[in-house]
Amino acid sequence: MQMLKEIEVSETETEVQTSRALPESLRALERLSWNYWWSWAADGAAVFRDLDPETWEECEHNPRCVLREVSEFRLMKMATDPAYIARVARLADTFDHYMNPETQTWARTHASAITHANPVAYFCAEFGVHTSLPFYSGGLGILAGDHLKSASDLGLPLVAVGLLYHHGYFRQRLRRDGWQEEHYSQIDTERLPMQLVRDDEGVPMLIEMQLRGRTVRAQAWRVEVGRVNLYLLDTNVESNDGVDRLISGHLYGGDRETRCVQETLLGVGGVRLLRRLGVEPRVFHLNEGHSAFLTLELARELTTAGRSFAAAAEAVRARCVFTTHTPVAAGHDEFLPGLVEHCFGHEYIASLSLTPAEFLALGHIKATDGTDLFGLTPLALRMCRSTNGVSRKHGAVSRALWHELFPGRTVEEVPITSVTNGVHAPTWVAPLLRALYEQRIGPNWDELQCDIECWAQGVARITDEELWRVHHLQKQLLVAFMRHQQYHARLQRGESPEVAEAALRAFDPEALTIGFARRVAAYKRWSLLLHDAERLMRLMTDKERPLQFVFAGKAHPQDEGAKQILHQLVQWKLNPQIIHRAIFIQDYDQDVARQLVQSVDVWLNVPRRPLEASGTSGEKVAMNGGLNLSVLDGWWPEGYDGTNGWAIGDTTLREGETSDEDTCDAESLYQLLETQVVPAYYERDAQGIPRRWVQMMKRAIATLVPAFNSDRMVRDYTQQIYLGGAE
Ligand SMILES: *Cc1c(COP(=O)(O)O)cnc(C)c1O
């Protein structure tokens, strides 16, 4: 009780500090700043930016921070600016309409069985909602963030559960010698749009569980993502043992034990939190295996009420669905059996009416002698009524990968389906292009996202000139961004002023620009491009038709091989002949990703097949009219139609038919660049417009937007998975 009082007191102080009284004409900004809806609303980010552009940058685009830090003078200037007042009012009106429960939505007519009392509970270890909320590492988190936004836009009742990480994911800096350095920042909960969940008496809600033989308490924070609430569990409360407070420390930063404990917190703690909130989910969606322990907690609720484990598991299966994201066995989360037993404790295992051996067998691929690792994917496969991969191809790969778990069935009969990933258009489309879509597709272009016919007709109304103009402006913005970023990065790492200033002349907005940004991991084959460095150099330094590259990506701190790859690339681009034509942007995050995908001409993707489960960055590029130059893996076999981008690799060869896939793919990549990509880009008419290129851009938009947006994805999940199965 003593402890609760202390938290209460400090929270009250916090409230006094943070709620600064805004002038009446701008009061709506307070309300808007608490809901991430602003981040994908038309003019939303711009309204907060224009309040005070400098503070906006200092605050890393976090409106809560801007409202606190903006000077009184600046605030009053904007509060008396009629044009600005009108923009704020318009944004607030749109928000109120959006949040009004009476507003008609897709889910009201198509998914009325999913209700606020019985919503979808969406569990994930990471959520990439916005750069200011650093609780994601890459694709999985960004996908989860986009899922929430589309669920919100579609009016689908959904609550999300994840973990709060006080140090987030690591941030990347490159040293002068090209080696990556990692550092962690500390989030400031007072400056973020997160509110502590409280009970009816206003006391912060605490859930309790046994972990590693100790009682651990967790509080929960609520983040509003449009109509969706995202709850983040946090063990950094005073009554916890010091070690247990660190569970909410780093995303994917700790050792195996920390990871196991984090995942137990997510699964077991997440279910207990929903119970305390009075939410009775119709479906639990396990987005990747990290949250698979939730199925055990649901089973325990039933076994402690007297059911056998088998009967409990049957009931759990009826309400749980699982999405797997990894196409290789080694990529799946696994723990030493002793570690899992240690985390849960014997009392918990006994309360499931299981012997330790039976318990451990739930995580085995084969029910063997108990020496196997405990895998979260086998657990999820056993305890969920539905499993899906994230592209058609990944579905097929997953059926083969987990075949052993389904004895007596052929690979084709393995019950793993697929829902192909999509991305949230209002988040990823550049404002300038969005304005063009509003004109040519319709003011409600985002609600028409899945309508193929609509996009075909709408894109036909876009003129070559206007599309090229928008794209060209975006490229100028990209070049300015890169120069700015590079200039400051060089100064920061102690380069001479001359070297730093040279960055301000790097890159050419007229040159063909290729983007390559992704996690630095062996299977992504960063080095493929450098397979024949001289041939590449010829392309880049061509006097008439040059080629330039922008790179970004983080190497996992413990992955020495990946760091080596990065180092090699950074060394390569220091070659004076190409130093102005290759830039590495450090600290790849959602913001950097947005800058790149909105502006590049071409997006390169060369994973080793079949290791790209889906990939989503290429989908973001296509939405902005960029062209994909990619190996046929992940989502691209479903997207590529011969007119809307390029496919790398000998498409007549079947997988595994060549012993030297790298050489084959590299040859194909260079050939495509030399004979297709470069000629099409530089072939201009009298007005300087590359007509053939613009045709391809239009084909990409018309064919790929309706198929690879996250509204389509969430609709598919709803109709094929959430509403399916027993109930
Ligand atoms: C979209 C995105 C990803 C995922 O992209 P891939 O195509 O899977 O590489 C990763 N990181 C960030 C920051 C993104 O925005």
Side-chain angles (χ1 to χ4, degrees):
M1 203 54 233
Q2 183 55 34
M3 178 227 35
L4 290 183
K5 266 215 187 90
E6 273 169 27
I7 288 183
E8 239 181 336
V9 171
S10 70
E11 279 302 308
T12 330
E13 279 169 4
T14 307
E15 266 154 29
V16 172
Q17 283 170 14
T18 50
S19 37
R20 166 187 195 168
L22 292 173
E24 186 269 327
S25 57
L26 302 185
R27 199 151 292 157
L29 289 178
E30 171 73 18
R31 191 153 47 89
L32 288 162
S33 71
W34 280 105
N35 189 318
Y36 274 106
W37 173 84
W38 66 263
S39 70
W40 72 90
D43 206 32
V47 159
F48 283 109
R49 179 199 63 205
D50 294 348
L51 185 62
D52 185 353
E54 233 169 85
T55 308
W56 171 252
E57 290 307 324
E58 282 160 18
C59 287
E60 299 195 300
H61 306 184
N62 167 13
R64 293 294 315 143
C65 170
V66 174
L67 292 185
R68 229 166 107 140
E69 299 296 324
V70 60
S71 75
E72 187 196 3
F73 182 40
R74 175 74 196 178
L75 187 62
M76 286 319 300
K77 260 206 271 198
M78 298 313 280
T80 50
D81 175 335
Y84 189 70
I85 295 172
R87 282 170 67 197
V88 172
R90 200 171 332 117
L91 191 64
D93 278 352
T94 314
F95 179 59
D96 292 339
H97 176 73
Y98 183 92
M99 293 301 288
N100 186 341
E102 300 302 314
T103 298
Q104 194 48 250
T105 63
W106 177 86
R108 274 178 83 174
T109 37
H110 292 86
S112 56
I114 300 171
T115 61
H116 289 285
N118 304 117
V120 174
Y122 185 88
F123 279 65
C124 193
E126 48 172 305
F127 285 94
V129 174
H130 185 258
T131 314
S132 61
L133 217 54
F135 306 148
Y136 65 95
S137 75
L140 178 69
I142 298 284
L143 179 84
D146 282 2
H147 195 105
L148 304 193
K149 293 171 189 173
S150 274
S152 171
D153 290 346
L154 294 168
L156 181 72
L158 183 145
V159 292
V161 181
L163 299 179
L164 181 119
Y165 303 97
H166 284 274
H167 300 285
Y169 193 57
F170 81 88
R171 306 196 59 170
Q172 176 194 53
R173 251 197 313 251
L174 285 193
R175 297 197 319 221
R176 274 177 77 169
D177 60 9
W179 288 100
Q180 167 180 296
E181 264 179 359
E182 299 97 28
H183 62 110
Y184 285 90
S185 39
Q186 164 105 40
I187 62 154
D188 182 349
T189 51
E190 286 177 18
R191 276 167 199 254
L192 287 168
M194 310 195 304
Q195 275 167 318
L196 209 49
V197 177
R198 291 163 191 276
D199 65 18
D200 292 340
E201 269 96 59
V203 179
M205 208 180 253
L206 286 176
I207 58 129
E208 259 185 31
M209 54 194 292
Q210 294 293 315
L211 274 173
R212 293 183 276 198
R214 289 188 294 274
T215 301
V216 175
R217 295 174 190 84
Q219 57 188 7
W221 298 86
R222 186 177 58 247
V223 177
E224 292 172 24
V225 184
R227 301 173 173 117
V228 166
N229 283 327
L230 164 61
Y231 293 99
L232 301 168
L233 292 163
D234 174 13
T235 61
N236 189 17
V237 296
E238 264 177 41
S239 59
N240 282 339
D241 195 281
V243 181
D244 295 329
R245 294 179 71 161
L246 299 178
I247 299 171
S248 303
H250 304 81
L251 170 59
Y252 305 145
D255 55 11
R256 296 309 296 164
E257 179 168 326
T258 309
R259 179 80 163 247
C260 186
V261 172
Q262 285 180 333
E263 294 179 354
T264 313
L265 172 67
L266 175 62
V268 177
V271 170
R272 292 189 184 174
L273 174 70
L274 292 178
R275 297 301 183 223
R276 281 288 293 280
L277 293 168
V279 176
E280 178 55 65
R282 177 193 166 99
V283 185
F284 289 85
H285 185 169
L286 287 63
N287 192 44
E288 189 51 309
H290 306 124
S291 57
F293 288 141
L294 81 84
T295 60
L296 298 179
E297 175 64 6
L298 292 175
R300 193 199 56 86
E301 292 178 338
L302 299 169
T303 51
T304 51
R307 289 218 223 170
S308 69
F309 181 80
E314 206 46 54
V316 171
R317 255 193 296 278
R319 11 184 60 195
C320 291
V321 302
F322 171 47
T323 300
T324 174
H325 289 263
T326 318
V328 275
H332 291 261
D333 237 349
E334 292 178 319
F335 298 110
L336 287 168
L339 180 55
V340 184
E341 280 184 289
H342 173 57
C343 267
F344 275 87
H346 290 287
E347 210 174 307
Y348 192 96
I349 295 170
S351 70
L352 285 165
S353 304
L354 292 175
T355 65
E358 287 169 334
F359 173 80
L360 292 175
L362 292 171
H364 293 161
I365 295 178
K366 286 177 288 193
T368 49
D369 56 3
T371 54
D372 286 347
L373 294 176
F374 188 102
L376 291 185
T377 300
L379 175 66
L381 281 162
R382 286 202 171 87
M383 298 295 282
C384 294
R385 68 166 158 82
S386 151
T387 297
N388 70 281
V390 291
S391 67
R392 275 183 222 151
K393 183 167 170 185
H394 179 235
V397 168
S398 302
R399 286 191 285 277
L401 191 59
W402 301 107
H403 185 202
E404 236 184 312
L405 264 161
F406 301 89
R409 301 198 198 205
T410 64
V411 171
E412 290 71 32
E413 287 166 352
V414 169
I416 300 179
T417 60
S418 68
V419 174
T420 304
N421 285 343
V423 295
H424 188 245
T427 294
W428 295 106
V429 173
L432 200 55
L433 191 58
R434 182 175 180 151
L436 188 59
Y437 288 165
E438 277 170 13
Q439 266 178 24
R440 299 294 182 234
I441 315 287
N444 57 340
W445 69 278
D446 49 337
E447 288 163 19
L448 302 170
Q449 265 176 78
C450 306
D451 190 329
I452 297 171
E453 209 30 53
C454 222
W455 279 81
Q457 289 168 8
V459 170
R461 288 191 287 268
I462 298 176
T463 67
D464 291 358
E465 288 74 11
E466 63 191 4
L467 184 57
W468 189 246
R469 198 185 125 258
V470 164
H471 179 64
H472 193 250
L473 280 165
Q474 284 298 132
K475 262 177 83 175
Q476 288 176 286
L477 170 64
L478 175 68
V479 169
F481 163 75
M482 291 190 302
R483 288 173 177 170
H484 173 85
Q485 220 261 6
Q486 202 64 16
Y487 174 71
H488 290 285
R490 286 184 189 177
L491 282 185
Q492 207 186 20
R493 72 175 84 111
E495 308 266 15
S496 69
E498 297 81 58
V499 173
E501 272 161 33
L504 300 175
R505 296 183 300 275
F507 258 56
D508 173 1
E510 308 305 322
L512 172 55
T513 305
I514 299 186
F516 187 83
R518 51 204 68 254
R519 204 149 44 84
V520 186
Y523 83 86
K524 301 267 193 184
R525 289 198 294 185
W526 277 66
S527 47
L528 195 80
L529 194 59
L530 306 187
H531 198 85
D532 184 343
E534 269 177 43
R535 196 163 168 191
L536 180 66
M537 178 87 79
R538 279 198 298 279
L539 279 163
M540 294 176 74
T541 55
D542 189 288
K543 286 272 182 316
E544 257 78 63
R545 308 187 304 173
L547 193 58
Q548 60 194 3
F549 286 92
V550 51
F551 301 96
K554 293 176 175 178
H556 191 279
Q558 277 129 40
D559 188 345
E560 282 306 317
K563 288 185 172 179
Q564 191 78 42
I565 295 173
L566 197 57
H567 179 249
Q568 202 186 15
L569 180 100
V570 173
Q571 289 299 317
W572 163 77
K573 77 174 187 58
L574 291 178
N575 183 324
Q577 280 185 279
I578 54 162
I579 193 157
H580 288 321
R581 302 213 191 279
I583 281 188
F584 185 91
I585 305 275
Q586 59 189 8
D587 206 27
Y588 185 46
D589 65 4
Q590 196 183 103
D591 208 43
V592 172
R594 200 178 293 110
Q595 296 278 359
L596 300 187
V597 301
Q598 292 178 349
S599 309
V600 295
D601 298 306
V602 171
W603 195 248
L604 178 66
N605 189 23
V606 287
R608 182 166 293 129
R609 280 163 294 227
L611 301 187
E612 184 88 301
S614 165
T616 50
S617 53
E619 301 174 345
K620 301 166 193 168
V621 170
M623 271 181 180
N624 285 287
L627 299 178
N628 278 274
L629 169 61
S630 170
V631 158
L632 282 173
D633 202 18
W635 74 285
W636 194 225
E638 288 164 63
Y640 174 66
D641 74 355
T643 68
N644 57 4
W646 298 275
I648 298 170
D650 186 341
T651 47
T652 61
L653 278 180
R654 292 229 303 219
E655 239 149 65
E657 268 185 12
T658 160
S659 55
D660 195 353
E661 198 180 309
D662 286 0
T663 307
C664 250
D665 286 348
E667 176 61 30
S668 164
L669 167 62
Y670 295 128
Q671 267 190 27
L672 281 170
L673 286 172
E674 289 158 356
T675 65
Q676 310 273 326
V677 184
V678 173
Y681 179 83
Y682 285 105
E683 177 188 297
R684 304 297 168 103
D685 69 0
Q687 287 114 28
I689 294 182
R691 298 281 165 190
R692 202 149 61 89
W693 189 276
V694 175
Q695 263 342 91
M696 286 186 84
M697 290 174 72
K698 287 186 181 177
R699 282 290 301 165
I701 295 169
T703 59
L704 302 175
V705 174
F708 300 100
N709 66 76
S710 54
D711 279 18
R712 191 275 307 146
M713 171 178 76
V714 172
R715 285 191 198 196
D716 283 355
Y717 272 107
T718 303
Q719 291 176 321
Q720 295 165 24
I721 293 181
Y722 299 155
L723 290 174
E727 183 61 33

